Amino acid sequence: MKNKIVSYIVPKLTDYSAAALEKAVGECIAACKSESEEVRNDAELKSFRDRWMARKNGILTQINDLWLKGAAKDAKREAGIRVNALKARITEMVDAAHVAETDADSLSAERVDISLPGIRRPIGAEHPVIKTRNEIVGVFERLGYSVAEGPVVETDYYNFEALNFPPNHPARDTQDTLFIGAQQSKPQRDRLLLRTHTSPVQIRTMEKMRPPIRIVIPGTVHRNDPPDASHSPMFHQIEGLAVDTNITFGDLKGTLDHAMKALFGSSVKTHFRPSFFPFTEPSAELYVTCFICGGSGKRSSDPCRPCKQTGWIEVLGCGMVDPNVFEFVKDNGYDPKKVSGFAFGMGVDRLALLKYGVDDIQLFFQGDVRFLQQFG
Ligand code: DAH
């Protein structure tokens, strides 16, 4: 017991006034409390309990003897009530008493061992698809393009109709669409679906911004394709759109040729083949020389698989914006007689597969850290 100068001694009572009783009770409780806080080990706890509770000469017994027996007849009742209350209180405190922590104990519990190794927080890394997306967007940003985005849950109007896919037109069959259910009561153009491409954001942006515009639109898209090594029901696209007066196919070729060299290296060559998309006329597919085999179709003596030995890899669809598309946003300054533009759209996941030599697109979406760590 530390700092224990005087331990409590039960006083004799001569004055049985309420105030005197109160004072005596208060002192007794305070003494019990401070002694209970000094208990440092089991032996001390036992002697503390005995000191206060022992039938023979314990403090409570002494109080009983000294305070009650010495009380005058008329003071007995009042003193009895107080002593009983005091006993209950002391019993409670003694029961609750326990071995307190020593200063040394509490200090060691609080001690910080600065020599222990720290908690390692693994640093995340960009997902290979997001990294590829950011690289592509970056190339166009440096050409002065802005970035636009649009909703993944889209209406039939933006996904198809305003892109010159008329209702029931067979061109819609090229994109196996996931429709939101229970929409039959709405007119077809208002029905919701998961956008099959980022092209609807072309229209949404032209509704909001007057020409000239130059935008790239990254985003996720969905198709009703069962997952396999080269298909996923969700994948990523980047769309591009440039509209101004006098934009020509030469601008399209020059821009995309520059972008491909920036992405795949200055030695790649580009090649445009005629194609069809409802929203561009003329339309083309862009090929680049295979950046795996350098265009030879061979890797040493083995056939090059990514380009199927052709030496060329298809990277995107593109074309001059069809005047029919401008008709839908004509009122916002897109008179097809005054403006012209080009558009392109590419699959980010496919480019990431090629770039990193990954042979299964599913690996991008399974979240396996052992796979993803390799790109950290
Ligand atoms: N939206 C097309 C698709 O998903 C890709 C595309 C082709 C976008 C030509 C374009 C474009 O903007 O001009 O298959």
Side-chain angles (χ1 to χ4, degrees):
M1 294 189 197
K2 63 170 189 188
N3 300 336
K4 192 118 215 113
I5 303 163
V6 202
S7 41
Y8 179 69
I9 295 168
V10 181
K12 271 204 180 105
L13 285 190
T14 44
D15 179 357
Y16 279 85
S17 68
L21 282 170
E22 199 128 299
K23 183 164 174 272
V25 164
E27 282 168 3
C28 180
I29 290 172
C32 183
K33 180 168 184 291
S34 85
E35 286 185 27
S36 77
E37 285 164 359
E38 300 295 322
V39 171
R40 285 285 170 269
N41 55 43
D42 289 343
E44 286 183 13
L45 184 59
K46 184 173 181 314
S47 65
F48 165 73
R49 289 204 164 126
D50 289 345
R51 177 169 143 75
W52 286 83
M53 305 299 289
R55 263 169 218 274
K56 216 174 147 197
N57 224 24
I59 290 177
L60 288 186
T61 308
Q62 292 179 42
I63 286 178
N64 217 41
D65 291 349
L66 284 170
W67 293 5
L68 289 187
K69 290 187 182 149
K73 239 189 177 157
D74 56 342
K76 259 207 164 92
R77 209 183 103 79
E78 176 68 20
I81 294 172
R82 291 203 186 243
V83 167
N84 280 341
L86 174 63
K87 278 181 178 168
R89 185 74 205 282
I90 297 289
T91 308
E92 233 169 62
M93 288 166 74
V94 171
D95 285 347
H98 54 270
V99 177
E101 280 180 352
T102 59
D103 286 353
D105 285 344
S106 57
L107 278 181
S108 80
E110 281 169 27
R111 188 165 144 251
V112 176
D113 183 349
I114 57 166
S115 69
L116 287 173
I119 298 166
R120 186 184 290 271
R121 287 181 202 282
I123 297 173
E126 270 180 333
H127 188 281
V129 172
I130 299 305
K131 199 162 160 174
T132 307
R133 180 198 71 184
N134 291 348
E135 274 170 28
I136 301 169
V137 168
V139 166
F140 287 95
E141 278 181 326
R142 286 186 286 279
L143 286 173
Y145 282 62
S146 332
V147 179
E149 282 182 311
V152 175
V153 179
E154 189 51 283
T155 60
D156 184 283
Y157 175 78
Y158 287 108
N159 197 77
F160 289 125
E161 194 181 331
L163 288 166
N164 200 29
F165 292 80
N168 304 318
H169 193 278
R172 291 184 173 217
D173 289 348
T174 61
Q175 306 194 348
D176 206 345
T177 312
L178 292 160
F179 293 91
I180 307 286
Q183 306 269 308
Q184 285 75 1
S185 60
K186 292 184 183 170
Q188 178 162 10
R189 55 162 52 188
D190 296 337
R191 290 185 200 164
L192 298 172
L193 44 82
L194 296 183
R195 68 177 177 195
T196 55
H197 50 176
T198 42
S199 306
V201 191
Q202 290 188 24
I203 305 291
R204 287 185 174 276
T205 312
M206 287 191 285
E207 284 178 348
K208 278 188 287 200
M209 291 166 61
R210 299 176 68 83
I213 57 173
R214 280 159 183 76
I215 47 164
V216 276
I217 305 149
T220 53
V221 303
H222 292 78
R223 299 213 189 156
N224 186 21
D225 290 330
D228 64 23
S230 54
H231 293 84
S232 163
M234 185 285 297
F235 57 102
H236 300 77
Q237 287 192 336
I238 293 179
E239 190 82 14
L241 175 69
V243 183
D244 206 333
T245 47
N246 295 323
I247 295 239
T248 68
F249 202 88
D251 296 317
L252 165 62
K253 287 183 82 173
T255 304
L256 292 180
D257 184 74
H258 166 84
M260 295 305 122
K261 290 186 161 70
L263 283 172
F264 302 117
S266 54
S267 59
V268 300
K269 293 196 182 72
T270 52
H271 168 66
F272 291 79
R273 281 187 206 170
S275 184
F276 173 79
F277 299 102
F279 39 92
T280 43
E281 181 59 35
S283 304
E285 272 155 10
L286 171 61
Y287 288 74
V288 296
T289 41
C290 179
F291 38 83
I292 312 287
C293 66
S296 68
K298 284 207 164 62
R299 291 171 86 179
S300 46
S301 57
D302 295 334
C304 180
R305 278 211 292 153
C307 67
K308 302 190 187 90
Q309 302 180 64
T310 62
W312 293 96
I313 287 182
E314 186 202 329
V315 283
L316 55 79
C318 58
M320 301 304 291
V321 178
D322 193 302
N324 289 346
V325 171
F326 285 139
E327 286 292 337
F328 287 93
V329 284
K330 195 174 180 173
D331 293 345
N332 201 29
Y334 294 90
D335 182 344
K337 293 197 188 68
K338 295 191 183 132
V339 296
S340 58
F342 65 76
F344 56 88
M346 60 187 111
V348 182
D349 319 74
R350 213 176 83 80
L351 292 175
L353 287 176
L354 293 166
K355 197 170 154 201
Y356 294 110
V358 174
D359 56 13
D360 186 346
I361 194 173
Q362 298 307 320
L363 287 164
F364 285 148
F365 306 124
Q366 286 160 345
D368 187 329
V369 173
R370 290 167 304 174
F371 170 74
L372 296 171
Q373 256 169 356
Q374 301 173 63
F375 304 92

